[in-house]
Amino acid sequence: MYSQRLITSLSLVALTCLQCVASADTRAEAVRSAFQHAWKGYSAYAYGHDELAPISNKVSDSRNGWGASIFDGLDTMIIMGLDDDYNRAVEHIRAVNWSKSSTPSKTFETNIRYLGGLLSAYDLKQDQILLDKAVELAEKVIMPAFDTPNRMPAAYVDVETGKPLEGNVIVLAEFGSLQLELVRLSQLTGNEKYQDAGNHILEKISEVPSQVPGLYPMLWELDTFTAESSYITISGGSDSYYEYLLKTHILMEGKETLQLDMWNTAVDSMQKHLRSETLNGRVFLGEIEQDFKLMQSGELVCFMPGNLLLGAAYLNKKELNVFAQELMDSCYGTWADSPTGLAPETWSWIDKAQNTAEYPEDLKQTMLTKGFLAQDTGYDLRPETAESLFYFYRMTGEKQYQDKAWKIFEAIEKYCKTESGYTRVSDINNTNDVGPLDFEESYFFAETLKYLYLIFSDPQTVSLDEYVFNTEAHPFKLKTPIQVQAKTFEN
Ligand SMILES: *[C@@H]1O[C@H](CO)[C@@H](O)[C@H](O)[C@H]1NC(C)=O
Ligand SMILES: *[C@@H]1O[C@H](CO)[C@@H](O)[C@H](O)[C@H]1NC(C)=O
């Protein structure tokens, strides 16, 4: 009797698991088809250009015209096993001339998309040409940014002269998150100068006092290397600064501790000063301007739940799990509560501690039921919530995160797909007309489709135990594996 029951329950487990693998496989296959659909359109109309405008089928060169979509999509092609596309891409990459462009190189974007894309594809496939092109790019376009009196990087570099452009305003996320790629480049080449340049910036930041411990304003002056405004956010303009503090610590095998301290202090301040609970119990990260706390946030901040969960597991700080979870649920809520299932770019809310007497009744009702109000109703094919769902799935093993990611994918399929790709839209609140805008960001290939694909793939595919992802979702190989993925995935 006992053994029979045991067998039955064992076979039940086996059956359930088979089903879950099968359905995950079908979903991964659907995401792969989406990539192929978009790549076919890009290849037909815009090959070699940075982006395709997927409605008019015109081309766009917003990233120096070196073919950003190719560099961004390269590692995704490797992961999805799209060999023909990969081989054609490598031929393009081989021929790119980094000294040729009609616009200056934006140091940060070139670093995360072009350098990041080359390094991760090299980590996944070890094609020597990729590392050679990475070194060439770093020498010609990225390292010259540091050719300033205080060795802090200029925002732009003239690619023909190899000189940094003048311009005194620099942005926290842009100068404060160059180090991860440069560390990996040093690890792969054995030349420490790249990581020295990158980490030196962080040392300098750590010496600058901040009004809120660990949280820095978005805009700085290059010459004086001081903040020139008081606006603090975790959103665009600042986001990857916080993200890379932890990831650099991990990539450097836990040996770099200054940036870990900076991350811990920043996270502590996020909990104390930015965390805000809405009238219906959601939790978002607000912003600070002078002495005011602004109750506004956006999709770009939704990388943070995943970053927190990664830190909680790697550093064994279980107390961060609740904070990560409440932010994850609330980020996903902005998708789930939208009529189209697509999240707005930004939203605002009333904190539950605020006096609501002065607010109109209908606004109060919205706040009590939905908890937030969309401000910018655009959706730019962004990956951040899917990215965090990827961390949550891989680190908890819970299927609910796959199901949530699938809902996101379905909404993108339904509302963003065009005949030749996927487009940014302007109104996620209108199911009759989302207002397609005719632009397909290169990060759609690098990030959105990669994270969605990996959520439905074998958890050992690009395991978080073996790779750390840059802010453009390019995975860099860790010299020594760590243990952060769910134990249930281990055989
Ligand atoms: C790259 O472009 C620059 C600027 O147009 C040009 O001077 C140089 O000869 C090119 N290099 C190659 C290898 O074609
Ligand atoms: C969304 O649409 C509903 C119904 O048309 C409208 O009441 C609401 O104000 C809209 N919200 C935003 C943020 O546009």
Side-chain angles (χ1 to χ4, degrees), residues 97 99-100 160:
N97 180 347
S99 304
K100 199 165 158 182
E160 278 186 28

Side-chain angles (χ1 to χ4, degrees), residues 101-120:
S101 177
S102 56
T103 47
S105 155
K106 191 168 185 183
T107 308
F108 169 73
E109 298 290 352
T110 300
N111 196 55
I112 61 167
R113 300 187 198 222
Y114 289 103
L115 184 59
L118 285 166
L119 293 176
S120 76

Side-chain angles (χ1 to χ4, degrees), residues 153-405:
Y156 292 92
V157 167
D158 181 318
V159 301
E160 278 186 28
T161 62
K163 294 262 182 288
L165 252 62
E166 289 191 21
N168 204 19
V169 178
I170 51 174
V171 177
L172 179 63
E174 295 178 5
F175 65 84
S177 45
L178 296 170
Q179 77 275 33
L180 195 73
E181 292 76 8
L182 295 174
V183 166
R184 188 63 192 137
L185 185 59
S186 281
Q187 291 177 341
L188 289 170
T189 57
N191 187 339
E192 302 234 318
K193 72 173 180 183
Y194 308 111
Q195 87 175 34
D196 288 349
N199 284 336
H200 178 61
I201 307 166
L202 280 294
E203 285 157 26
K204 285 290 165 200
I205 296 175
S206 77
E207 292 164 11
V208 177
S210 58
Q211 184 196 344
V212 188
L215 303 182
Y216 287 97
M218 184 174 96
L219 297 179
W220 291 49
E221 278 177 10
L222 176 60
D223 296 346
T224 57
F225 207 64
T226 52
E228 71 140 35
S229 73
S230 68
Y231 175 58
I232 289 175
T233 178
I234 310 300
S235 192
S238 298
D239 42 9
S240 49
Y241 163 71
Y242 300 102
E243 177 188 351
Y244 274 17
L245 295 173
L246 173 70
K247 289 180 168 180
T248 308
H249 172 74
I250 293 176
L251 184 62
M252 294 187 72
E253 303 177 279
K255 289 173 189 151
E256 204 292 338
T257 55
L258 173 67
Q259 293 179 45
L260 173 65
D261 288 345
M262 293 163 87
W263 187 81
N264 278 323
T265 310
V267 167
D268 196 45
S269 281
M270 286 179 205
Q271 272 182 293
K272 285 197 184 113
H273 302 287
L274 303 184
R275 183 185 179 279
S276 165
E277 205 169 318
T278 68
L279 287 171
N280 72 340
R282 290 204 164 142
V283 173
F284 297 122
L285 292 176
E287 306 181 327
I288 293 175
E289 171 85 76
Q290 289 169 357
D291 294 330
F292 297 102
K293 182 164 166 187
L294 311 177
M295 306 305 166
Q296 57 188 37
S297 192
E299 170 64 12
L300 281 170
V301 183
C302 291
F303 76 95
M304 201 61 214
N307 191 253
L308 286 169
L309 198 70
L310 178 64
Y314 180 71
L315 305 169
N316 200 17
K317 290 182 75 159
K318 292 194 180 62
E319 66 276 17
L320 287 180
N321 283 335
V322 174
F323 189 34
Q325 184 77 56
E326 58 190 14
L327 289 173
M328 177 78 267
D329 294 344
S330 302
C331 274
Y332 181 68
T334 64
W335 297 73
D337 278 357
S338 143
T340 54
L342 294 171
E345 179 80 356
T346 59
W347 57 85
S348 59
W349 65 92
I350 299 175
D351 187 278
K352 70 169 190 186
Q354 271 173 284
N355 180 358
T356 55
E358 72 220 66
Y359 292 102
E361 204 49 44
D362 57 340
L363 180 64
K364 259 193 279 185
Q365 272 314 312
T366 307
M367 291 299 158
L368 282 167
T369 50
K370 270 182 71 171
F372 68 94
L373 191 64
Q375 293 298 333
D376 178 345
T377 57
Y379 171 63
D380 205 358
L381 301 173
R382 291 203 189 280
E384 284 75 16
T385 298
E387 169 181 350
S388 280
L389 289 171
F390 165 71
Y391 283 90
F392 273 72
Y393 176 63
R394 286 291 184 89
M395 294 170 60
T396 66
E398 288 175 31
K399 193 174 169 296
Q400 57 155 318
Y401 299 112
Q402 289 185 312
D403 295 340
K404 288 172 175 162

Side-chain angles (χ1 to χ4, degrees), residues 461-481:
T461 307
V462 197
S463 168
L464 286 171
D465 293 344
E466 291 166 29
Y467 292 87
V468 66
F469 286 75
N470 90 340
T471 194
E472 191 80 354
H474 296 305
F476 298 159
K477 184 110 176 131
L478 297 171
K479 287 166 85 177
T480 2

